[in-house]
Amino acid sequence: MTERFRTDYQNSETFLTRRELAARWKVGVETVKRRVRAGLVPDVRFNSRCVRYRLSDIIDAESQALVTHGGK
Protein backbone atom coordinates (compact mmCIF):
# COMPACT_ATOMS: atom_id res chain seq x y z
CA MET A 1 0.00 0.00 0.00
CA THR A 2 2.87 2.37 0.69
CA GLU A 3 4.22 1.78 -2.82
CA ARG A 4 0.82 2.66 -4.30
CA PHE A 5 0.77 5.91 -2.34
CA ARG A 6 4.24 6.84 -3.60
CA THR A 7 3.28 6.11 -7.18
CA ASP A 8 0.12 8.23 -6.93
CA TYR A 9 2.08 11.04 -5.32
CA GLN A 10 4.74 11.00 -8.03
CA ASN A 11 2.10 11.26 -10.76
CA SER A 12 0.25 14.15 -9.12
CA GLU A 13 0.40 17.70 -10.46
CA THR A 14 3.03 20.05 -9.06
CA PHE A 15 1.97 23.53 -7.98
CA LEU A 16 4.15 26.59 -7.44
CA THR A 17 3.52 29.51 -5.13
CA ARG A 18 3.72 33.05 -6.46
CA ARG A 19 7.15 33.47 -4.87
CA GLU A 20 8.42 30.21 -6.34
CA LEU A 21 7.25 31.26 -9.79
CA ALA A 22 8.86 34.68 -9.41
CA ALA A 23 12.13 33.01 -8.40
CA ARG A 24 11.91 30.62 -11.38
CA TRP A 25 11.54 33.55 -13.75
CA LYS A 26 13.94 35.81 -11.79
CA VAL A 27 11.32 38.56 -11.57
CA GLY A 28 9.37 40.19 -8.77
CA VAL A 29 6.07 38.96 -7.39
CA GLU A 30 4.29 41.98 -8.89
CA THR A 31 5.51 40.96 -12.36
CA VAL A 32 3.92 37.54 -11.86
CA LYS A 33 0.66 39.24 -10.85
CA ARG A 34 0.76 41.44 -13.96
CA ARG A 35 1.35 38.46 -16.24
CA VAL A 36 -1.61 36.65 -14.68
CA ARG A 37 -3.84 39.72 -15.13
CA ALA A 38 -2.67 39.95 -18.77
CA GLY A 39 -3.80 36.34 -19.29
CA LEU A 40 -0.30 35.03 -20.03
CA VAL A 41 -0.36 32.56 -17.13
CA PRO A 42 -3.38 30.78 -15.64
CA ASP A 43 -3.66 30.56 -11.88
CA VAL A 44 -5.49 28.16 -9.59
CA ARG A 45 -7.32 29.73 -6.66
CA PHE A 46 -8.09 27.46 -3.75
CA ASN A 47 -9.60 30.40 -1.87
CA SER A 48 -9.13 34.18 -1.85
CA ARG A 49 -5.68 33.95 -0.26
CA CYS A 50 -4.29 30.71 -1.66
CA VAL A 51 -3.17 31.10 -5.27
CA ARG A 52 -1.00 28.51 -7.02
CA TYR A 53 0.31 27.88 -10.51
CA ARG A 54 0.41 24.46 -12.18
CA LEU A 55 3.93 23.63 -13.27
CA SER A 56 2.58 22.13 -16.49
CA ASP A 57 0.81 25.45 -17.28
CA ILE A 58 4.02 27.37 -16.55
CA ILE A 59 6.05 25.13 -18.86
CA ASP A 60 3.44 25.62 -21.60
CA ALA A 61 3.53 29.40 -21.13
CA GLU A 62 7.33 29.41 -21.24
CA SER A 63 7.31 27.31 -24.42
CA GLN A 64 4.76 29.62 -26.01
CA ALA A 65 6.85 32.67 -25.10
CA LEU A 66 9.90 31.11 -26.74
CA VAL A 67 7.95 30.41 -29.94
CA THR A 68 6.32 33.84 -29.96
CA HIS A 69 9.59 35.69 -29.41
CA GLY A 70 11.72 33.48 -31.63
CA GLY A 71 13.86 32.06 -28.84
CA LYS A 72 15.57 28.69 -28.87
Side-chain angles (χ1 to χ4, degrees):
M1 185 159 172
T2 304
E3 187 61 35
R4 181 175 163 250
F5 175 76
R6 285 187 191 145
T7 302
D8 291 344
Y9 177 76
Q10 290 171 349
N11 292 332
S12 67
E13 183 69 53
T14 300
F15 290 89
L16 301 176
T17 65
R18 193 174 281 146
R19 284 185 182 170
E20 290 170 336
L21 181 53
R24 177 183 175 96
W25 286 346
K26 296 180 176 81
V27 298
V29 172
E30 290 301 317
T31 300
V32 172
K33 290 180 185 180
R34 281 193 298 272
R35 290 179 182 175
V36 169
R37 282 193 302 266
L40 301 174
V41 181
D43 61 356
V44 177
R45 294 185 176 266
F46 294 99
N47 60 40
S48 62
R49 295 184 62 183
C50 184
V51 179
R52 297 292 185 268
Y53 306 90
R54 281 188 189 95
L55 183 56
S56 59
D57 290 340
I58 299 308
I59 292 169
D60 289 344
E62 291 168 348
S63 297
Q64 184 62 34
L66 288 174
V67 170
T68 302
H69 298 293
K72 293 181 181 182

Coordinates of all heavy atoms in Angstrom, one line a residue:
M1 N 0.8 -1.2 0.0 CA 0.0 0.0 0.0 C 0.9 1.3 0.0 O 0.5 2.2 -0.6 CB -0.9 0.0 1.2 CG -1.9 1.1 1.2 SD -3.3 0.7 2.2 CE -4.1 2.3 2.2
T2 N 2.0 1.2 0.7 CA 2.9 2.4 0.7 C 3.4 2.7 -0.7 O 3.5 3.8 -1.1 CB 4.1 2.1 1.7 OG1 3.5 1.8 2.9 CG2 4.9 3.3 1.7
E3 N 3.7 1.6 -1.5 CA 4.2 1.8 -2.8 C 3.2 2.4 -3.7 O 3.5 3.3 -4.5 CB 4.6 0.4 -3.4 CG 5.3 0.5 -4.8 CD 6.6 1.3 -4.7 OE1 7.3 1.3 -3.7 OE2 6.9 2.1 -5.7
R4 N 1.9 2.1 -3.5 CA 0.8 2.7 -4.3 C 0.7 4.1 -4.0 O 0.6 5.0 -4.9 CB -0.5 2.0 -4.0 CG -1.6 2.6 -4.8 CD -2.9 1.8 -4.6 NE -4.0 2.6 -5.0 CZ -4.9 3.2 -4.2 NH1 -4.9 3.0 -2.9 NH2 -5.8 4.0 -4.7
F5 N 0.8 4.5 -2.7 CA 0.8 5.9 -2.3 C 1.9 6.7 -3.0 O 1.7 7.8 -3.6 CB 0.8 6.0 -0.8 CG 0.9 7.5 -0.4 CD1 -0.2 8.3 -0.4 CD2 2.1 8.0 0.1 CE1 -0.2 9.6 0.0 CE2 2.2 9.3 0.5 CZ 1.0 10.1 0.4
R6 N 3.1 6.2 -3.0 CA 4.2 6.8 -3.6 C 4.0 7.0 -5.1 O 4.3 8.1 -5.6 CB 5.5 6.0 -3.4 CG 6.0 6.1 -2.0 CD 7.4 5.5 -1.8 NE 7.7 5.3 -0.5 CZ 8.4 4.4 0.1 NH1 8.8 3.4 -0.7 NH2 8.7 4.3 1.3
T7 N 3.5 6.0 -5.7 CA 3.3 6.1 -7.2 C 2.2 7.2 -7.5 O 2.4 8.0 -8.4 CB 2.8 4.8 -7.7 OG1 3.8 3.8 -7.4 CG2 2.6 4.8 -9.2
D8 N 1.1 7.2 -6.7 CA 0.1 8.2 -6.9 C 0.7 9.6 -6.7 O 0.4 10.5 -7.4 CB -1.1 8.0 -6.0 CG -1.8 6.7 -6.4 OD1 -1.6 6.2 -7.5 OD2 -2.6 6.2 -5.6
Y9 N 1.5 9.7 -5.7 CA 2.1 11.0 -5.3 C 3.0 11.5 -6.4 O 3.0 12.7 -6.8 CB 2.8 10.9 -4.0 CG 3.5 12.2 -3.6 CD1 2.8 13.3 -3.1 CD2 4.9 12.4 -3.8 CE1 3.4 14.5 -2.8 CE2 5.5 13.5 -3.4 CZ 4.8 14.6 -2.9 OH 5.4 15.8 -2.6
Q10 N 3.8 10.6 -7.0 CA 4.7 11.0 -8.0 C 4.0 11.4 -9.3 O 4.5 12.2 -10.1 CB 5.7 9.8 -8.3 CG 6.7 9.6 -7.2 CD 7.4 8.3 -7.4 OE1 7.1 7.5 -8.3 NE2 8.5 8.1 -6.6
N11 N 2.8 10.9 -9.6 CA 2.1 11.3 -10.8 C 1.2 12.5 -10.6 O 0.6 12.9 -11.5 CB 1.3 10.1 -11.2 CG 2.1 8.9 -11.7 OD1 3.2 9.2 -12.2 ND2 1.6 7.7 -11.5
S12 N 1.1 13.0 -9.4 CA 0.3 14.1 -9.1 C 0.8 15.4 -9.7 O 2.0 15.5 -10.0 CB 0.0 14.3 -7.6 OG 1.2 14.7 -7.0
E13 N 0.0 16.4 -9.9 CA 0.4 17.7 -10.5 C 1.2 18.5 -9.4 O 0.9 18.5 -8.3 CB -0.9 18.5 -10.8 CG -0.6 19.8 -11.5 CD 0.0 19.7 -12.9 OE1 -0.6 19.0 -13.7 OE2 1.1 20.3 -13.1
T14 N 2.2 19.2 -9.9 CA 3.0 20.1 -9.1 C 2.5 21.5 -9.2 O 2.3 22.0 -10.3 CB 4.5 20.0 -9.5 OG1 4.9 18.6 -9.4 CG2 5.4 20.9 -8.6
F15 N 2.4 22.1 -8.0 CA 2.0 23.5 -8.0 C 3.1 24.4 -7.4 O 3.8 24.0 -6.5 CB 0.7 23.7 -7.1 CG -0.5 23.1 -7.7 CD1 -0.8 21.7 -7.5 CD2 -1.4 23.8 -8.5 CE1 -2.0 21.2 -8.0 CE2 -2.5 23.3 -9.0 CZ -2.8 21.9 -8.8
L16 N 3.2 25.6 -7.9 CA 4.1 26.6 -7.4 C 3.4 27.7 -6.8 O 2.3 28.1 -7.2 CB 5.0 27.2 -8.6 CG 5.8 26.2 -9.5 CD1 6.4 26.9 -10.6 CD2 6.8 25.5 -8.6
T17 N 4.1 28.3 -5.7 CA 3.5 29.5 -5.1 C 3.9 30.7 -6.0 O 4.8 30.6 -6.9 CB 4.1 29.7 -3.7 OG1 5.5 30.0 -3.8 CG2 3.8 28.5 -2.8
R18 N 3.4 31.8 -5.7 CA 3.7 33.1 -6.5 C 5.2 33.4 -6.3 O 5.9 33.7 -7.3 CB 2.9 34.2 -6.0 CG 2.9 35.4 -6.9 CD 1.9 36.5 -6.4 NE 0.6 36.1 -6.8 CZ -0.5 36.4 -6.2 NH1 -0.5 37.0 -5.0 NH2 -1.7 36.0 -6.6
R19 N 5.7 33.2 -5.1 CA 7.2 33.5 -4.9 C 8.0 32.5 -5.6 O 9.1 32.8 -6.1 CB 7.5 33.4 -3.4 CG 7.0 34.6 -2.6 CD 7.5 34.6 -1.2 NE 7.0 35.7 -0.5 CZ 7.0 35.9 0.8 NH1 7.6 34.9 1.6 NH2 6.6 37.0 1.4
E20 N 7.6 31.2 -5.6 CA 8.4 30.2 -6.3 C 8.4 30.5 -7.8 O 9.5 30.4 -8.5 CB 7.9 28.8 -6.1 CG 8.1 28.3 -4.7 CD 7.3 27.0 -4.4 OE1 6.3 26.8 -5.0 OE2 7.7 26.3 -3.4
L21 N 7.3 30.9 -8.4 CA 7.3 31.3 -9.8 C 8.1 32.5 -10.1 O 8.8 32.5 -11.1 CB 5.8 31.5 -10.2 CG 5.6 31.8 -11.7 CD1 6.3 30.8 -12.6 CD2 4.1 31.9 -12.0
A22 N 8.0 33.5 -9.2 CA 8.9 34.7 -9.4 C 10.3 34.3 -9.4 O 11.1 34.8 -10.2 CB 8.5 35.7 -8.3
A23 N 10.7 33.4 -8.5 CA 12.1 33.0 -8.4 C 12.5 32.2 -9.7 O 13.6 32.4 -10.2 CB 12.3 32.2 -7.2
R24 N 11.6 31.4 -10.2 CA 11.9 30.6 -11.4 C 12.2 31.5 -12.6 O 13.1 31.3 -13.4 CB 10.7 29.7 -11.7 CG 10.8 28.9 -12.9 CD 9.6 28.1 -13.2 NE 9.6 27.4 -14.4 CZ 10.0 26.1 -14.6 NH1 10.3 25.4 -13.5 NH2 10.0 25.6 -15.8
W25 N 11.4 32.6 -12.6 CA 11.5 33.6 -13.8 C 12.5 34.7 -13.5 O 12.8 35.5 -14.3 CB 10.2 34.1 -14.1 CG 9.3 33.2 -14.8 CD1 9.6 32.0 -15.4 CD2 7.9 33.4 -15.0 NE1 8.5 31.4 -16.0 CE2 7.4 32.2 -15.8 CE3 7.0 34.3 -14.7 CZ2 6.1 32.1 -16.2 CZ3 5.7 34.2 -15.1 CH2 5.2 33.1 -15.8
K26 N 13.0 34.7 -12.2 CA 13.9 35.8 -11.8 C 13.3 37.2 -12.0 O 13.9 38.1 -12.5 CB 15.3 35.7 -12.5 CG 16.0 34.4 -12.2 CD 17.3 34.3 -13.0 CE 18.1 33.1 -12.6 NZ 17.7 31.9 -13.2
V27 N 12.1 37.3 -11.5 CA 11.3 38.6 -11.6 C 10.7 38.8 -10.2 O 10.7 37.9 -9.3 CB 10.2 38.6 -12.7 CG1 10.8 38.4 -14.0 CG2 9.2 37.5 -12.4
G28 N 10.1 39.9 -10.0 CA 9.4 40.2 -8.8 C 8.0 39.6 -8.7 O 7.4 39.2 -9.8
V29 N 7.4 39.5 -7.6 CA 6.1 39.0 -7.4 C 5.0 39.8 -8.1 O 4.1 39.3 -8.7 CB 5.7 38.9 -5.9 CG1 4.3 38.5 -5.7 CG2 6.6 37.9 -5.2
E30 N 5.2 41.1 -8.2 CA 4.3 42.0 -8.9 C 4.3 41.7 -10.4 O 3.3 41.8 -11.0 CB 4.6 43.4 -8.6 CG 4.3 43.9 -7.2 CD 2.9 43.7 -6.8 OE1 2.0 44.0 -7.6 OE2 2.6 43.2 -5.7
T31 N 5.4 41.3 -10.9 CA 5.5 41.0 -12.4 C 4.7 39.7 -12.6 O 4.0 39.6 -13.6 CB 7.0 40.7 -12.8 OG1 7.7 42.0 -12.6 CG2 7.1 40.3 -14.2
V32 N 4.7 38.7 -11.7 CA 3.9 37.5 -11.9 C 2.4 37.9 -11.8 O 1.7 37.5 -12.7 CB 4.2 36.5 -10.7 CG1 3.2 35.4 -10.8 CG2 5.7 36.0 -10.9
K33 N 2.1 38.8 -10.9 CA 0.7 39.2 -10.9 C 0.2 39.9 -12.1 O -0.9 39.7 -12.6 CB 0.5 40.2 -9.7 CG 0.6 39.6 -8.3 CD 0.4 40.6 -7.3 CE 0.6 40.1 -5.9 NZ 0.4 41.2 -4.9
R34 N 1.1 40.8 -12.7 CA 0.8 41.4 -14.0 C 0.6 40.5 -15.1 O -0.3 40.6 -15.9 CB 1.9 42.5 -14.3 CG 1.8 43.8 -13.5 CD 2.6 44.8 -14.2 NE 4.1 44.5 -14.1 CZ 4.9 44.7 -13.1 NH1 4.4 45.3 -12.0 NH2 6.2 44.4 -13.2
R35 N 1.4 39.4 -15.2 CA 1.4 38.5 -16.2 C 0.1 37.6 -16.1 O -0.5 37.2 -17.1 CB 2.6 37.6 -16.3 CG 3.8 38.4 -16.7 CD 5.1 37.6 -16.8 NE 6.2 38.4 -17.2 CZ 7.4 38.0 -17.2 NH1 7.8 36.8 -16.9 NH2 8.4 38.9 -17.6
V36 N -0.3 37.4 -14.9 CA -1.6 36.7 -14.7 C -2.8 37.5 -15.1 O -3.7 37.1 -15.9 CB -1.8 36.2 -13.2 CG1 -3.2 35.7 -12.9 CG2 -0.7 35.2 -12.8
R37 N -2.8 38.8 -14.7 CA -3.8 39.7 -15.1 C -3.9 39.9 -16.7 O -5.0 40.0 -17.2 CB -3.7 41.1 -14.5 CG -4.1 41.1 -13.0 CD -4.2 42.6 -12.5 NE -3.0 43.3 -12.6 CZ -2.1 43.4 -11.7 NH1 -2.3 42.9 -10.5 NH2 -1.0 44.1 -11.9
A38 N -2.7 39.8 -17.3 CA -2.7 39.9 -18.8 C -3.1 38.7 -19.5 O -3.2 38.6 -20.7 CB -1.3 40.3 -19.2
G39 N -3.3 37.6 -18.7 CA -3.8 36.3 -19.3 C -2.7 35.5 -19.8 O -2.9 34.5 -20.6
L40 N -1.4 35.8 -19.5 CA -0.3 35.0 -20.0 C -0.1 33.7 -19.3 O 0.5 32.8 -19.8 CB 1.0 35.9 -20.0 CG 0.9 37.2 -20.8 CD1 2.2 38.0 -20.5 CD2 0.8 36.8 -22.3
V41 N -0.6 33.7 -18.0 CA -0.4 32.6 -17.1 C -1.6 32.3 -16.4 O -2.2 33.2 -15.7 CB 0.8 32.8 -16.1 CG1 1.0 31.6 -15.2 CG2 2.1 33.2 -16.8
P42 N -2.2 31.1 -16.4 CA -3.4 30.8 -15.6 C -3.0 30.5 -14.2 O -1.9 30.0 -13.9 CB -4.0 29.5 -16.3 CG -2.8 28.9 -17.0 CD -1.8 30.0 -17.3
D43 N -3.9 30.9 -13.3 CA -3.7 30.6 -11.9 C -4.8 29.7 -11.4 O -5.8 29.5 -12.0 CB -3.5 31.8 -11.0 CG -4.8 32.7 -11.1 OD1 -5.7 32.4 -11.8 OD2 -4.8 33.7 -10.3
V44 N -4.5 29.0 -10.2 CA -5.5 28.2 -9.6 C -5.7 28.8 -8.2 O -4.8 28.9 -7.4 CB -5.0 26.7 -9.4 CG1 -6.0 25.9 -8.7 CG2 -4.6 26.1 -10.8
R45 N -7.0 29.1 -7.9 CA -7.3 29.7 -6.7 C -8.1 28.7 -5.8 O -9.2 28.3 -6.2 CB -8.2 31.0 -6.9 CG -7.4 32.1 -7.6 CD -8.2 33.3 -7.7 NE -7.4 34.3 -8.3 CZ -6.6 35.2 -7.6 NH1 -6.7 35.2 -6.3 NH2 -5.9 36.1 -8.2
F46 N -7.5 28.4 -4.7 CA -8.1 27.5 -3.7 C -9.0 28.2 -2.8 O -10.0 27.7 -2.4 CB -7.0 26.7 -2.9 CG -6.2 25.8 -3.8 CD1 -5.0 26.1 -4.3 CD2 -6.7 24.6 -4.2 CE1 -4.2 25.3 -5.1 CE2 -6.0 23.7 -5.0 CZ -4.7 24.1 -5.4
N47 N -8.7 29.5 -2.6 CA -9.6 30.4 -1.9 C -9.0 31.8 -2.2 O -8.1 31.9 -3.0 CB -9.7 30.1 -0.4 CG -8.4 30.2 0.3 OD1 -7.5 31.1 0.1 ND2 -8.1 29.3 1.3
S48 N -9.5 32.8 -1.5 CA -9.1 34.2 -1.9 C -7.7 34.5 -1.5 O -7.1 35.4 -2.1 CB -10.0 35.2 -1.1 OG -9.9 35.1 0.3
R49 N -7.1 33.7 -0.6 CA -5.7 34.0 -0.3 C -4.7 32.9 -0.8 O -3.5 33.1 -0.7 CB -5.6 34.0 1.3 CG -6.4 35.2 1.8 CD -6.2 35.3 3.3 NE -4.8 35.5 3.6 CZ -4.3 35.6 4.8 NH1 -5.1 35.5 5.8 NH2 -3.0 35.8 5.0
C50 N -5.2 31.8 -1.2 CA -4.3 30.7 -1.7 C -4.3 30.6 -3.2 O -5.3 30.0 -3.8 CB -4.7 29.4 -1.0 SG -3.7 28.0 -1.4
V51 N -3.3 31.1 -3.8 CA -3.2 31.1 -5.3 C -1.9 30.3 -5.6 O -0.9 30.4 -5.1 CB -3.0 32.5 -5.8 CG1 -2.9 32.5 -7.3 CG2 -4.2 33.4 -5.4
R52 N -2.1 29.4 -6.6 CA -1.0 28.5 -7.0 C -1.0 28.5 -8.5 O -2.0 28.8 -9.2 CB -1.1 27.1 -6.5 CG -1.1 27.0 -5.0 CD 0.3 27.3 -4.4 NE 0.4 27.1 -3.0 CZ 0.2 28.1 -2.1 NH1 -0.2 29.3 -2.5 NH2 0.3 27.8 -0.8
Y53 N 0.1 28.0 -9.1 CA 0.3 27.9 -10.5 C 0.8 26.5 -10.8 O 1.7 26.0 -10.3 CB 1.4 28.9 -11.0 CG 1.0 30.3 -10.5 CD1 1.5 30.8 -9.3 CD2 0.2 31.1 -11.3 CE1 1.1 32.0 -8.8 CE2 -0.2 32.4 -10.8 CZ 0.3 32.8 -9.6 OH -0.1 34.1 -9.2
R54 N 0.0 25.8 -11.8 CA 0.4 24.5 -12.2 C 1.7 24.5 -13.0 O 1.9 25.3 -13.9 CB -0.6 23.9 -13.1 CG -1.8 23.4 -12.4 CD -2.7 22.6 -13.4 NE -4.0 22.3 -12.8 CZ -5.1 23.1 -12.9 NH1 -5.1 24.1 -13.7 NH2 -6.2 22.7 -12.3
L55 N 2.6 23.7 -12.6 CA 3.9 23.6 -13.3 C 3.7 23.3 -14.8 O 4.4 23.9 -15.6 CB 4.9 22.6 -12.6 CG 6.3 22.5 -13.2 CD1 7.0 23.9 -13.2 CD2 7.1 21.5 -12.4
S56 N 2.8 22.5 -15.1 CA 2.6 22.1 -16.5 C 2.1 23.4 -17.3 O 2.5 23.6 -18.4 CB 1.6 21.0 -16.6 OG 0.3 21.3 -16.0
D57 N 1.3 24.2 -16.6 CA 0.8 25.5 -17.3 C 2.0 26.4 -17.5 O 2.1 27.1 -18.5 CB -0.3 26.1 -16.5 CG -1.6 25.4 -16.5 OD1 -1.8 24.6 -17.4 OD2 -2.4 25.6 -15.6
I58 N 2.9 26.5 -16.5 CA 4.0 27.4 -16.6 C 4.9 26.9 -17.7 O 5.4 27.8 -18.5 CB 4.8 27.4 -15.2 CG1 3.9 27.9 -14.1 CG2 6.0 28.2 -15.3 CD1 3.2 29.2 -14.4
I59 N 5.2 25.6 -17.8 CA 6.1 25.1 -18.9 C 5.4 25.4 -20.2 O 6.1 25.8 -21.2 CB 6.3 23.6 -18.7 CG1 7.2 23.4 -17.4 CG2 7.0 23.0 -19.9 CD1 7.3 22.0 -17.0
D60 N 4.1 25.3 -20.3 CA 3.4 25.6 -21.6 C 3.6 27.1 -21.9 O 3.8 27.5 -23.1 CB 2.0 25.3 -21.5 CG 1.7 23.8 -21.5 OD1 2.6 23.0 -21.9 OD2 0.6 23.4 -21.2
A61 N 3.4 28.0 -20.9 CA 3.5 29.4 -21.1 C 5.0 29.8 -21.5 O 5.2 30.6 -22.4 CB 3.1 30.2 -19.9
E62 N 5.9 29.1 -20.9 CA 7.3 29.4 -21.2 C 7.6 29.0 -22.7 O 8.3 29.7 -23.4 CB 8.3 28.7 -20.3 CG 8.2 29.3 -18.9 CD 8.9 28.4 -17.8 OE1 9.2 27.2 -18.1 OE2 9.1 28.9 -16.7
S63 N 7.1 27.8 -23.0 CA 7.3 27.3 -24.4 C 6.7 28.2 -25.4 O 7.2 28.5 -26.5 CB 6.7 25.9 -24.6 OG 7.4 25.0 -23.7
Q64 N 5.5 28.7 -25.1 CA 4.8 29.6 -26.0 C 5.5 30.9 -26.2 O 5.6 31.5 -27.2 CB 3.3 29.9 -25.5 CG 2.5 30.8 -26.4 CD 2.3 30.1 -27.8 OE1 2.2 28.9 -27.9 NE2 2.3 31.0 -28.8
A65 N 6.1 31.4 -25.1 CA 6.8 32.7 -25.1 C 8.1 32.5 -26.0 O 8.4 33.4 -26.7 CB 7.2 33.1 -23.7
L66 N 8.7 31.4 -25.9 CA 9.9 31.1 -26.7 C 9.5 31.1 -28.2 O 10.2 31.6 -29.1 CB 10.6 29.8 -26.4 CG 11.3 29.8 -25.0 CD1 11.8 28.4 -24.7 CD2 12.5 30.8 -25.1
V67 N 8.4 30.5 -28.5 CA 8.0 30.4 -29.9 C 7.5 31.8 -30.4 O 7.9 32.2 -31.5 CB 6.8 29.4 -30.1 CG1 6.1 29.5 -31.5 CG2 7.2 28.0 -29.8
T68 N 6.8 32.5 -29.6 CA 6.3 33.8 -30.0 C 7.5 34.8 -30.2 O 7.4 35.6 -31.1 CB 5.4 34.4 -28.9 OG1 4.3 33.5 -28.7 CG2 4.8 35.8 -29.2
H69 N 8.5 34.7 -29.3 CA 9.6 35.7 -29.4 C 10.8 35.2 -30.2 O 11.9 35.8 -30.2 CB 10.0 36.1 -28.0 CG 8.9 36.8 -27.3 ND1 8.4 38.0 -27.6 CD2 8.1 36.4 -26.2 CE1 7.4 38.4 -26.8 NE2 7.2 37.4 -26.0
G70 N 10.7 34.0 -30.8 CA 11.7 33.5 -31.6 C 12.9 32.9 -30.9 O 14.0 32.8 -31.4
G71 N 12.8 32.6 -29.6 CA 13.9 32.1 -28.8 C 14.1 30.6 -29.2 O 13.4 30.0 -30.0
K72 N 15.2 30.1 -28.6 CA 15.6 28.7 -28.9 C 15.3 27.9 -27.6 O 15.5 28.3 -26.6 CB 17.0 28.6 -29.3 CG 17.2 29.2 -30.6 CD 18.7 29.1 -31.0 CE 18.9 29.8 -32.4 NZ 20.2 29.7 -32.9

